[in-house]
Amino acid sequence: MPSHDVLVIGAGLAGQRAALAAAEEGASVGILSKVHPVRSHSNAAQGGINAALNPEDSWESHAFDTVKGSDYLGDQDAIEVMCREAPDEILTLEHLGVTFHRNEEGRLGTRAFGGASAARTYYVADITGQAILHVLYEQLMRHDEVYRYEEYFTTKLVLDDDGHAAGCVARQMRDGTMELFAAKTVILACGGNGQIYNPTTNALICTGDGIAMAYRAGAPLMDMEMVQYHPTTLAGNGLLITEGARGEGAHLYNAQGERFMEKYAPNKMELASRDVVSRAEQTEIDEGRGFPDGTVALDITQVPRKRIHEALREIVNVGRDFAGVDITREPIHIKPGNHYTMGGVKTDKDGHTGVPGLYAAGEVACVSVHGGNRLGANSLLDTLVFGRRSGKDAAAHARNHRMPEPPHSHVSDEEATLSELVGRDRDGRRVSEIRADLGKVMDEHVAVFRDEDGLLEAAQTVQRLKEEAKTVAIDDKGTIFNQDLFGAIELGFMLDNAECVIVGALERKESRGAQFRTDHPERDDDEWLKHIDLTLDGDRPNVTYSEVTLTRWEPEERKY
Amino acid sequence: MTETYTLKIRRYDPESGSAAYWEEFGVDLPPERSVLDGILQARDRQDGSIAIRCSCQAAICGSCGVRINGKSRLACNTKIGLAAEAAPNGAIVVEPMGNMPVLKDLIVDMDAVHWKKVQRVVPWLLPEGDPPEREYIVDPESMIDVTQAMACIHCGVCVSACLSMEVDPDFIGPAALAKAYRFVGDPRDAHAEDRLLDLAEDPHGIYDCTHCFACVEVCPKDVAPMNQIMRLRRRATGDYGIKDANNGYGHEKAFTDLIHKYGWLSEAQLLPKSYGDGSLIRAQLKPAAVRELAAKFPTIVRGLASGKVSPKTALIHHKLRDQDEIRRIYDEVESKDDRLELNLYIIGEDGSEEGEAAGSGGGAEEGAMAEGGQES
């Protein structure tokens, strides 16, 4: 049985950063991922990473922008930690080899980003996430004390009799063998749940596995209703156009040629917070001022072509390959699209979840630094700062613990469940059919604008889909790369995620950040300046509340 | 508008005990959707056992490298309508990538080939001494320059298409060598010379590339791996004067010298000049060169016997009529102060430098961040 002091599940930025930090502390580390680490969705973060590194900038300013961006739902102690530690994290990455953009003096250069009061976004063209992910993977290749389990699909977390994390069960995708991993500590770093929506900017792997596994293991989830819609995604397939485009000076127009952000955010215009810009676009579209394909236009043509080629090259390709548009010459049609999971497994500043020995970092977690709305270029920062802190804390925690010896029954139980699934008669619906229904109902009723009727309808649909999932049928009867089987397991994870999002959205009877209830259109600090925590009770989430931590910024009206 | 397409997929199930076979699937999609969308539709609606790695569907994660109508590509950024137009008999042929063992259907073993080769080039930064308190201060262009190699998503499409690797499976190959350039071109790395020496002396290294452009043509991210290999060669010879034991350097010099002199290649002179660092006389003084030349003798005889070459065409080489034009190109290139680099991050798609001057860095950005409206 493979055993490690620290077992990391997920190998995107949060997971790799946690693994490196734990290894630096001398822990024996294993890192599992259902895809090769460089395939992780951290790749898709194009625009950059925020840090108040300039002498003229301050971490307090970065923190205030984040607090305001979160619509005051972010925990200010955690936000302070993230913004204080951001500059060091950037420098660490730079020293490891990230090819950050330089200014004329050869120092780190910045670009502007939404919701920020200073240009503090550090970047590598528009492949920032990819560049950082690949540089961290270089370090994993260099340090063989971090043991990599690539293409291992984790199916469940294992706890010991005292309820302390003790490892996990995973299936080696390549040959189908089931393995039990023993670990003194487990760090979840498996990303968000964007695939419960369709369309989404998220990759097919973003199925909320970690959120669901933690929930099933008894860890509370938090603020699951907070789902970010990104203002600039392609209409047909949900592909992302980086906020960096607006950061470089691109404008938004409706079908009548009006630069409509003047009405919604006269000061920050296109660079207001994402929830604000997405709502503005959706309002224009809903009120008939969009294009016939349900979009508005993003115009990048006034950015000099030379600058586009050096700084926005990836979206030139996206426009050309996926929309047939040369963005250097004509506007591109975009609309708000599902993008980011602000909620997740409830953690503190060091990644501790409600289950001892279980940590969470990155999009899977809800610290919460993003509250009701995440600022652009804060997600990479979140993964790195809290990945590192979790890895470090987990390594220390492991020093005082004996290696658990989880019984083999964990594997045989899982094996039995999966064999039943593989051997099942083909009477039920296909995974893809249920998944399509789920994506549709979430995008219809749990999107930019929500109300009770829609949410109740969505809740009903998800309950029906959960029933159908119990008899879901798959075609592949093999053991090698049985992707059909993984799809069925992911479907179960996704339905748990969707149920929690809807329960949270129904519960929060106000409008804050990404949650806009047309039947409760105002923010209500007296009643709702609090987190919504969800814990599995039987087979339903039980709702409780927890305080939002305020340190130095009292809630005030939010204008851009 | 939706159309019906036929996908002809190469299937292989290692558990069946049977050989690989072809299977056709009909799918309905608008022509601008991708071949990956087609494969996923076939999997979702007809046969859930079709295996393909895929994730982002946006040409960022690098999972879905395959061969479509014989050409190595990402399935997600290949439009199904265009693929159908190029398809023989209307059926879009989808096979696993080449040069790597197939594990199941369209899934190949990247670890056994690609990642092993990446590991070979010491793929991490090796700076000198402790890092500075703040960032390393480097030329801004140098960071943009290596960004082209950083843009590699390790999809393996160039590895699949590499003709040199087909002949020499040990060739380090386009992707891993592009990764090597990312360090050699990075001013923070203190081991450029060691890296270049290592890659030049390795018989499967930078001089094992035959300059066929296949990797440049297929790369979905415009990394132009072959260009990165050529830049490694130029740095090795031009900056560090590395003369490798495999005579890669000599061969390249002989090649360029001959074109300069005649405008076309004189095969009879190429070999001896290659072994003599570009000089016929030095070649005769080197025992190794004489041995190598003697070993090539049967090939020469075969060429003469088959009439492919005659002694006259082989030995008496005439110049091109407009040889001066060729020389003018040499003069033009050699008169530049800076080495000419083909880098799309710097010069743009059509190669024309447009808009502002190169340094739109610091100042322009600070301008662009002014609050709200940025109309200038």
Side-chain angles (χ1 to χ4, degrees):
Chain A
M1 174 168 47
S3 30
H4 295 280
D5 294 336
V6 179
L7 188 66
V8 184
I9 303 173
L13 285 188
Q16 293 196 37
R17 189 69 188 86
L20 288 168
E24 251 170 54
E25 298 289 316
S28 97
V29 184
I31 183 164
L32 289 108
S33 171
K34 64 177 177 178
V35 291
H36 186 284
V38 307
R39 314 286 175 227
S40 304
H41 194 56
S42 306
N43 262 335
Q46 298 168 343
I49 174 168
N50 287 334
L53 187 56
N54 267 330
E56 308 88 69
D57 201 358
S58 71
W59 71 262
E60 290 94 340
S61 162
H62 181 190
F64 172 69
D65 289 343
T66 305
V67 168
K68 181 180 171 189
S70 82
D71 218 347
Y72 295 89
L73 190 63
D75 286 309
Q76 297 181 4
D77 55 340
I79 291 172
E80 287 190 19
V81 163
M82 180 175 82
C83 299
R84 271 180 206 267
E85 295 182 2
D88 269 349
E89 202 54 42
I90 299 281
L91 291 175
T92 304
L93 294 173
E94 199 278 327
H95 295 156
L96 289 177
V98 176
T99 54
F100 283 117
H101 175 82
R102 307 289 158 148
N103 61 23
E104 277 163 332
E105 293 90 56
R107 293 190 164 277
L108 295 174
T110 54
R111 69 160 46 122
F113 239 65
S117 51
R120 62 167 74 94
T121 302
Y122 294 87
Y123 66 100
V124 181
D126 54 359
I127 56 166
T128 313
Q130 179 190 326
I132 299 174
L133 185 71
H134 286 210
V135 167
L136 288 187
Y137 190 66
E138 290 166 12
Q139 296 301 312
L140 284 192
M141 288 192 280
R142 179 179 196 174
H143 295 286
D144 44 16
E145 61 270 26
V146 177
Y147 202 90
R148 311 199 298 269
Y149 301 92
E150 294 168 356
E151 300 196 310
Y152 276 69
F153 189 107
T154 306
T155 61
K156 79 163 197 182
L157 299 176
V158 171
L159 308 186
D160 66 15
D161 295 340
D162 304 328
H164 189 281
C168 74
V169 179
R171 182 178 170 107
Q172 189 174 352
M173 298 169 80
R174 198 162 160 164
D175 65 11
T177 48
M178 300 290 291
E179 278 190 65
L180 179 61
F181 287 76
K184 295 178 186 173
T185 57
V186 176
I187 301 177
L188 289 170
C190 352
N193 61 21
Q195 279 293 322
I196 65 176
Y197 286 80
N198 187 17
T200 172
T201 63
N202 282 203
L204 292 168
I205 54 174
C206 302
T207 46
D209 303 10
I211 295 172
M213 284 191 290
Y215 173 65
R216 291 174 187 183
L221 309 180
M222 188 166 93
D223 299 340
M224 287 294 286
E225 69 280 12
M226 294 303 179
V227 176
Q228 181 163 78
Y229 266 60
H230 192 289
T232 53
T233 71
L234 296 188
N237 44 20
L239 288 187
L240 176 69
I241 303 289
T242 176
E243 185 165 307
R246 282 171 287 138
E248 298 288 346
H251 295 169
L252 291 167
Y253 296 97
N254 62 20
Q256 292 154 12
E258 293 163 343
R259 204 174 152 202
F260 57 85
M261 284 311 297
E262 285 167 1
K263 286 184 284 183
Y264 303 91
N267 294 316
K268 296 296 285 183
M269 300 290 282
E270 282 84 358
L271 288 179
S273 279
R274 287 179 177 173
D275 57 329
V276 174
V277 181
S278 284
R279 265 195 300 279
E281 291 176 0
Q282 197 61 52
T283 305
E284 293 295 306
I285 295 165
D286 291 348
E287 292 178 0
R289 292 185 296 278
F291 293 96
D293 57 346
T295 61
V296 292
L298 176 72
D299 186 2
I300 307 171
T301 56
Q302 68 266 38
V303 181
R305 294 192 71 207
K306 160 88 185 155
R307 181 67 187 154
I308 294 178
H309 281 300
E310 84 176 24
L312 298 170
R313 179 151 192 87
E314 181 56 35
I315 61 164
V316 175
N317 294 342
V318 168
R320 183 193 64 207
D321 294 344
F322 297 99
V325 172
D326 179 354
I327 61 153
T328 65
R329 294 178 199 278
E330 53 184 321
I332 187 164
H333 286 196
I334 51 87
K335 64 172 205 167
N338 171 277
H339 184 59
Y340 187 83
T341 312
M342 264 89 65
V345 184
K346 182 184 178 76
T347 73
D348 68 8
K349 301 191 293 283
D350 292 307
H352 300 120
T353 69
V355 171
L358 181 67
Y359 294 73
E363 196 172 345
V364 69
C366 184
V367 186
S368 159
V369 285
H370 307 307
N373 171 68
R374 175 175 70 76
L375 290 191
N378 264 356
S379 64
L380 292 182
L381 183 59
D382 170 20
T383 63
L384 295 162
V385 167
F386 295 103
R388 174 173 49 71
R389 292 177 69 93
S390 300
K392 199 173 167 198
D393 196 281
H397 184 88
R399 276 197 285 274
N400 304 319
H401 271 76
R402 293 238 310 268
M403 188 63 75
E405 289 170 10
H408 188 74
S409 56
H410 286 293
V411 177
S412 33
D413 290 354
E414 279 297 280
E415 258 169 355
T417 310
L418 297 188
S419 316
E420 188 277 321
L421 215 166
V422 172
R424 201 178 280 172
D425 290 338
R426 290 182 204 179
D427 300 334
R429 298 183 79 194
R430 287 176 173 275
V431 174
S432 56
E433 291 166 1
I434 301 178
R435 206 166 154 152
D437 285 359
L438 175 65
K440 187 161 174 283
V441 76
M442 294 299 287
D443 193 55
E444 215 165 280
H445 296 300
V446 203
V448 175
F449 293 114
R450 306 165 173 180
D451 63 32
E452 188 171 84
D453 290 347
L455 290 171
L456 284 172
E457 193 183 323
Q460 225 169 29
T461 306
V462 169
Q463 285 316 312
R464 172 172 61 80
L465 297 177
K466 277 184 92 164
E467 280 306 309
E468 292 174 354
K470 289 178 183 161
T471 57
V472 73
I474 63 172
D475 296 331
D476 198 336
K477 306 294 175 196
T479 52
I480 297 173
F481 281 107
N482 189 336
Q483 296 175 318
D484 218 2
L485 174 63
F486 298 122
I489 305 170
E490 287 172 340
L491 178 66
F493 291 152
M494 288 163 65
L495 289 165
D496 282 359
N497 275 268
E499 181 179 25
C500 292
V501 171
I502 297 166
V503 167
L506 270 169
E507 186 67 22
R508 187 177 288 283
K509 292 174 185 62
E510 66 155 352
S511 292
R512 180 187 300 273
Q515 155 100 342
F516 195 95
R517 287 278 300 261
T518 51
D519 45 355
H520 300 278
E522 301 296 326
R523 192 176 88 189
D524 179 359
D525 286 339
D526 294 337
E527 198 61 37
W528 287 105
L529 183 62
K530 57 189 177 190
H531 298 298
I532 296 178
D533 298 348
L534 303 176
T535 314
L536 182 64
D537 182 11
D539 64 347
R540 298 274 302 164
N542 179 48
V543 178
T544 52
Y545 306 109
S546 57
E547 289 301 305
V548 174
T549 309
L550 304 179
T551 56
R552 58 176 88 191
W553 297 284
E554 283 300 315
E556 46 187 68
E557 199 193 349
R558 186 160 163 262
K559 272 188 184 164
Y560 286 102
Chain B
M1 108 226 87
T2 299
E3 290 186 33
T4 302
Y5 298 98
T6 305
L7 292 172
K8 186 178 170 187
I9 300 178
R10 186 78 170 161
R11 305 292 308 270
Y12 170 61
D13 176 8
E15 293 173 90
S16 69
S18 317
Y21 60 99
W22 294 102
E23 190 171 6
E24 293 195 0
F25 297 91
V27 296
D28 302 314
L29 280 169
E32 67 272 13
R33 295 305 290 263
S34 71
V35 171
L36 178 63
D37 288 329
I39 297 168
L40 292 181
Q41 190 183 94
R43 177 158 99 184
D44 285 350
R45 296 184 187 171
Q46 298 172 57
D47 183 352
S49 75
I50 300 170
I52 180 171
R53 287 195 189 98
C54 57
S55 182
C56 75
Q57 303 171 286
I60 300 169
C61 76
S63 302
C64 67
V66 290
R67 280 183 295 183
I68 298 169
N69 300 324
K71 219 174 145 187
S72 300
R73 319 191 47 128
L74 290 180
C76 72
N77 77 345
T78 304
K79 293 190 179 69
I80 196 162
L82 293 178
E85 282 169 29
N89 315 317
I92 300 164
V93 179
V94 187
E95 302 165 82
M97 289 195 285
N99 285 332
M100 287 175 273
V102 179
L103 297 173
K104 180 183 180 183
D105 292 344
L106 301 171
I107 297 179
V108 299
D109 193 344
M110 299 268 305
D111 293 342
V113 181
H114 172 73
W115 288 108
K116 209 169 94 187
K117 292 172 187 296
V118 169
Q119 191 85 31
R120 159 70 186 81
V121 303
V122 195
W124 45 81
L125 194 75
L126 292 169
E128 192 68 65
D130 292 331
E133 203 168 304
R134 298 268 304 189
E135 69 269 41
Y136 289 98
I137 294 174
V138 295
D139 173 22
E141 286 275 296
S142 70
M143 286 292 110
I144 298 173
D145 176 55
V146 293
T147 296
Q148 186 173 21
M150 281 299 297
C152 171
I153 54 174
H154 297 274
C155 61
V157 162
C158 62
V159 175
S160 167
C162 179
L163 295 175
S164 293
M165 208 183 287
E166 218 174 293
V167 179
D168 173 16
D170 291 332
F171 175 38
I172 296 174
L177 287 173
K179 182 84 177 169
Y181 181 77
R182 171 253 176 286
F183 300 104
V184 168
D186 191 324
R188 295 169 297 181
D189 193 275
H191 292 270
E193 186 172 3
D194 304 335
R195 290 176 186 276
L196 289 166
L197 193 63
D198 172 38
L199 296 173
E201 293 293 359
D202 188 328
H204 314 290
I206 50 177
Y207 291 110
D208 207 10
C209 166
T210 59
H211 225 139
C212 75
F213 281 84
C215 58
V216 178
E217 201 185 321
V218 299
C219 176
K221 305 306 286 188
D222 296 331
V223 171
M226 189 198 77
N227 291 358
Q228 313 304 335
I229 300 174
M230 294 310 133
R231 299 162 89 191
L232 288 170
R233 288 188 187 176
R234 263 173 267 151
R235 291 218 181 202
T237 54
D239 296 355
Y240 297 102
I242 293 170
K243 295 178 179 176
D244 58 299
N246 315 307
N247 251 331
Y249 155 76
H251 182 71
E252 197 166 78
K253 177 155 173 43
F255 207 105
T256 32
D257 286 355
L258 285 169
I259 300 289
H260 185 251
K261 192 166 174 188
Y262 301 114
W264 58 343
L265 205 57
S266 161
E267 275 98 350
Q269 293 186 39
L270 181 64
L271 265 178
K273 278 199 167 188
S274 296
Y275 289 114
D277 290 350
S279 153
L280 278 173
I281 295 167
R282 274 205 299 278
Q284 289 162 43
L285 298 175
K286 277 167 70 174
V290 174
R291 270 202 308 279
E292 289 268 358
L293 278 173
K296 295 282 190 292
F297 195 68
T299 314
I300 298 166
V301 171
R302 268 203 307 278
L304 289 169
S306 66
K308 194 181 169 197
V309 284
S310 71
K312 189 178 165 219
T313 55
L315 297 175
I316 307 164
H317 219 76
H318 61 86
K319 290 179 186 175
L320 280 189
R321 241 184 316 144
D322 40 7
Q323 177 60 14
D324 286 348
E325 284 298 298
I326 305 263
R327 297 240 166 101
R328 205 177 52 74
I329 296 172
Y330 273 68
D331 291 345
E332 172 79 23
V333 171
E334 282 162 5
S335 68
K336 303 269 183 195
D337 290 338
D338 294 326
R339 203 176 281 153
L340 280 174
E341 305 280 19
L342 178 69
N343 186 325
L344 295 167
Y345 280 81
I346 295 173
I347 61 173
E349 202 97 286
D350 42 12
S352 59
E353 292 211 28
E354 288 184 57
E356 297 170 344
S360 70
E365 277 158 50
E366 256 84 48
M369 62 140 287
E371 273 192 58
Q374 294 129 19
E375 280 155 321
S376 49

